[in-house]
Structure formats: C-alpha cells, structure tokens
Amino acid sequence: MDGDPVVEPELDSFSLTFPLPYRVAFIVVLAVWGWGLNLHFLHLRKIDVPSLIRYPGRSSTTQLPHHHSTYRLATLLSLSSALSILTFWSFTRRDPKRVIDYDWIPMTNLAVTAALFVLPLRRLSVSHSGRRRLLATLRRVSVGGLAEAKDGKFGDILLADVLTSYAKVLGDLFICLCMFFTRNGSATDRPDRGCGGTYLVPLLLAIPSAIRLRQCIIEYLRVRNSPFKESTGWGGQHLANAAKYSTAFPVIILNAMLRNANTNGTPTTGLYRAWIAACLLNSLYSFYWDVTKDWDLTLFAGAQERNSPDHPFGLRRRLLIHKPVVYYFVIALDLALRCTWMIKLHPHLNTMSDFESSIFLVEFFEVFRRWVWIFFRVETEWIRNTSTGLGVDDILMSNFNTRDEDEEYVD
C-alpha cells in the first residue's frame, strides 16, 4: 500500500514499481517530448519560436523543422529509459530487498540520460547544436544570468520559468543522489526527503525562484540605466515580477518548518495558518501574472478594456492559438493547477498528500501546467514582436487578409 511514510516506513507499493530515480527520468524525458510538441504546434500556427529565442533558423526549406530533431532526442531518451526499467523489473520482480539492492540500474539510467544531452549523436541523426545551446543557456541562467534581447533574452526567461516548475523534480534528483551516496543507503528505498539535513532540500527548491528574481532585478537595472522610453516605463513591472517570485520563499520555508514541527511533535496551528496564507498569496499573484502579464489578456483589466467589442470578453484582439473557448478553459486550468496545494486542506485528502504517488502526481500536474503555459507565453511574445503576428515570409508575400482569416480565431 502506498501509505503515509510516518505510519508505514517500509517501501511503498508505488516505489516498488516506479522508484524515485525513474520518476525523475520520466519527467525529464516528458519535458523533451513536451518541448517538441510546443515547437511542432507553434510551427503549424506560423509562430517562429527559433527566431524569438535567437536560435539559428533552417538554411534551406528542404531541412526538417526543429521539432523533428527534438522528437528524435525524445525517442532516444524514451528507448533508453524503457530498456532500463524493463531490465530493473526483470531483476527485482517487486521484491523490496531486490528493489533496494539494484538501485544502481535506475541510477545508471539517470547517468545515461544526462550523457545523451551532452554527447554528440550525429550518427543517430540527432542534432548536437540544440543540446549545446540548451546547456549554454542553462549555465548562464543557473547563476541568474540574463542575455541581452538581441542574444536570446526571451529564451533565458523561458528556461528559467520552466525551472521554477521543475523545482521539486530537481529536489528529487538531489534526494536520489544523496541516498545513493549515503553509507548503507539506496536510491530506490523510500525517499528520505530530509536527506542532507532539514533545510538543504528546501534551499534547493528555492534556487529556481531566486534565479528568476535576480533576472527581474537585472531587467529593472537595465531599464533604469538606459534612456527613458514610454514603452518600457521606469521598470516598475520588473520589480512587481520580482515580488511575485519572492512569494515562493515563505511557502518553501514554512513548509519545511511544518514538516520539522510535525516530526518533533511541536504544535503547528500558527505555522499552518501562515503556510495557507503564503500559499494563497503565491498562487493568486502568480495566476494574475500569468493571465495579465505573461499572456496579455484583459480579464483583470478595467471594465472598459475587458468588455471592449474589439475582442472576446477578457481576452485580446489577436488569438493565434485557438478559439476563445480554449483560452477560457486554459485560464481555469491554470488557476486549478496553481492551487493543487489545497488538497492538504481537505480532512480526507490531507492524509493522501504525503503518498509517493500523490507527490509524483502533483509534480506531473505542475509540469503539465507549465507545458500549456508555454504555448500562450510564446504566442504573446510573437504578437509583441511582430506587427501582424505573422512570420517574415508571410509579410513579404503581402498576403495579410488571407492569412488573418486562416490563422486567427476571433469571433
């Protein structure tokens, strides 16, 4: 049974079949497939993602689009992980002792997954330039760096935002490594989320938000140090964005304090109320920012702008992704998935929130939310950077009217 770790300290059923290292690998592979689908769909919608992130375009129309290379890498990663987990199952057969003893198999799979992002794979028709660009961008943003607009600033912001949604996955990766290298430990044992100390994992969870906060400060300073432009203002929006990311820190700190207090049997009523308030602030502030700033929708604008006859209620004039109903659905979905923490407020669901399967589902839902968010964030950036929302080729063809009718979904 996948029970509460305090009540059932032994290896749970979910971990017998799907140990923590495989869950980390699964979400990493899923991210590659997700990015491929992002590129593919946006390519079909005539949104040139490579140009937005300043990635070199195809030099010939005979070359395959970028998403094909991403699909190849995703397929290779999937085959590697599938072979590994099938081997693991054949050796362990859900026997707890064997699952713990054979932890080197899933850890080897994690090492192979990491290697596939680094090693040249030209013989397998997998482009190395995209992975090299990803690693270079990751190195820059990992310390809160931010490229200039002409060098791919939007790509840096996109990757750093994605990392905030993968914070718990990165925490799980650390736990795997910590348990694997701990004396008499095993990466496939029941996850010890206190491995390395009470506050080390929470500190790691805070790093992605700290990265984005620093990027916002960099953007603010750039605006302040450049000549004033009405379009950019004095940079207050970047400070407001930095404040949004700072709301993640109280949630992480209070959650760690609650976990520690529960372990020691300390009363937690005050901490619990403070945690709820912090979660509510973080979720609602982030949801508002998604809708208003990241997607440029008018749902929370003034009544005149929100009800303007130029666009569907609460949306905007140009909708390149799909029909208005899809935007309304995605807004509701974003709010729901930003508030998954509320399951802990339910007296019956609260006991399930610490199950390994529940923790994994929450991580998966956050990754899924971010995947959906990317479509609309990239669409918004495309509209901001092009006068018509069309690609360069479309503009040169001067076929505006036909393209608008085919590509826009505005009632």
Side-chain angles (χ1 to χ4, degrees):
M1 181 178 177
D2 184 12
D4 189 325
V6 177
V7 179
E8 299 180 28
E10 71 274 7
L11 198 60
D12 59 277
S13 177
F14 185 68
S15 295
L16 286 173
T17 304
F18 203 27
L20 188 62
Y22 281 123
R23 289 176 235 163
V24 173
F26 174 80
I27 292 185
V28 169
V29 175
L30 198 66
V32 181
W33 279 110
W35 178 238
L37 290 169
N38 287 138
L39 291 174
H40 193 172
F41 180 82
L42 292 167
H43 172 75
L44 294 176
R45 297 305 315 141
K46 308 298 185 203
I47 296 175
D48 188 359
V49 181
S51 73
L52 289 176
I53 62 176
R54 301 300 187 266
Y55 184 77
R58 298 308 193 199
S59 58
S60 171
T61 54
T62 59
Q63 289 183 299
L64 293 174
H66 292 86
H67 58 266
H68 282 269
S69 297
T70 309
Y71 285 153
R72 288 196 186 112
L73 177 60
T75 300
L76 190 60
L77 291 168
S78 299
L79 291 174
S80 172
S81 291
L83 178 62
S84 177
I85 198 168
L86 289 173
T87 303
F88 180 77
W89 286 342
S90 67
F91 274 93
T92 60
R93 301 180 183 231
R94 287 177 55 84
D95 178 80
K97 186 177 184 306
R98 289 184 177 183
V99 167
I100 292 172
D101 290 343
Y102 284 96
D103 66 333
W104 59 271
I105 297 178
M107 291 305 289
T108 300
N109 177 61
L110 280 179
V112 170
T113 299
L116 290 175
F117 277 97
V118 178
L119 298 176
L121 302 169
R122 293 183 181 88
R123 291 186 179 181
L124 298 174
S125 299
V126 177
S127 172
H128 186 57
S129 59
R131 288 173 291 137
R132 186 169 59 244
R133 171 66 178 272
L134 170 65
L135 294 174
T137 305
L138 192 58
R139 281 195 297 270
R140 183 166 57 248
V141 304
S142 64
V143 292
L146 184 66
E148 295 287 349
K150 61 183 177 58
D151 298 321
K153 182 183 79 169
F154 180 61
D156 286 13
I157 292 173
L158 208 59
L159 179 59
D161 268 325
V162 167
L163 288 178
T164 62
S165 291
Y166 281 77
K168 291 184 179 178
V169 181
L170 295 174
D172 282 350
L173 175 60
F174 169 79
I175 291 167
C176 290
L177 294 171
C178 180
M179 292 172 63
F180 184 71
F181 289 107
T182 298
R183 188 176 181 180
N184 298 323
S186 171
T188 49
D189 203 345
R190 177 181 277 280
D192 177 11
R193 302 189 185 279
C195 192
T198 305
Y199 296 106
L200 184 54
V201 172
L203 181 64
L204 292 172
L205 296 181
I207 289 176
S209 294
I211 288 172
R212 277 300 286 128
L213 187 150
R214 185 171 187 271
Q215 287 182 333
C216 292
I217 298 299
I218 290 173
E219 286 198 274
Y220 168 73
L221 293 176
R222 285 179 183 174
V223 172
R224 297 293 292 174
N225 293 329
S226 61
F228 179 80
K229 294 180 182 178
E230 189 174 348
S231 59
T232 56
W234 60 275
Q237 179 167 303
H238 300 305
L239 291 182
N241 200 12
K244 183 197 72 174
Y245 289 105
S246 69
T247 62
F249 302 140
V251 175
I252 295 169
I253 293 169
L254 289 168
N255 194 54
M257 292 174 66
L258 273 172
R259 185 178 292 274
N260 190 45
N262 287 330
T263 302
N264 298 332
T266 308
T268 60
T269 304
L271 277 177
Y272 186 65
R273 290 174 179 170
W275 174 80
I276 291 175
C279 287
L280 198 60
L281 174 63
N282 175 255
S283 297
L284 296 182
Y285 195 166
S286 299
F287 169 66
Y288 165 82
W289 200 273
D290 287 343
V291 174
T292 306
K293 303 299 183 180
D294 289 341
W295 298 341
D296 284 355
L297 303 180
T298 60
L299 185 64
F300 299 120
Q304 184 175 356
E305 186 178 358
R306 183 172 58 246
N307 296 298
S308 173
D310 292 338
H311 56 71
F313 173 81
L315 303 183
R316 50 174 145 76
R317 189 178 66 83
R318 300 189 61 79
L319 305 177
L320 305 180
I321 296 293
H322 217 285
K323 296 179 180 178
V325 65
V326 172
Y327 288 76
Y328 295 131
F329 173 77
V330 167
I331 289 171
L333 180 69
D334 189 69
L335 176 61
L337 295 183
R338 281 221 176 257
C339 295
T340 52
W341 56 271
M342 286 187 175
I343 62 173
K344 292 189 176 184
L345 305 183
H346 194 284
H348 299 298
L349 296 179
N350 180 42
T351 57
M352 298 173 59
S353 62
D354 287 327
F355 291 0
E356 286 302 316
S357 55
S358 299
I359 293 171
F360 174 71
L361 278 177
V362 169
E363 291 179 2
F364 172 80
F365 285 142
E366 173 56 21
V367 168
F368 175 75
R369 186 198 66 78
R370 182 63 67 180
W371 175 69
V372 174
W373 175 91
I374 287 174
F375 287 108
F376 298 89
R377 180 66 185 89
V378 173
E379 176 210 26
T380 303
E381 192 70 14
W382 179 251
I383 292 173
R384 290 173 183 172
N385 283 271
T386 58
S387 59
T388 63
L390 302 176
V392 174
D393 291 339
D394 296 330
I395 295 172
L396 293 177
M397 290 172 63
S398 300
N399 193 12
F400 302 134
N401 294 333
T402 303
R403 292 284 182 176
D404 285 351
E405 290 173 3
D406 290 343
E407 295 180 4
E408 289 190 36
Y409 292 91
V410 182
D411 288 344

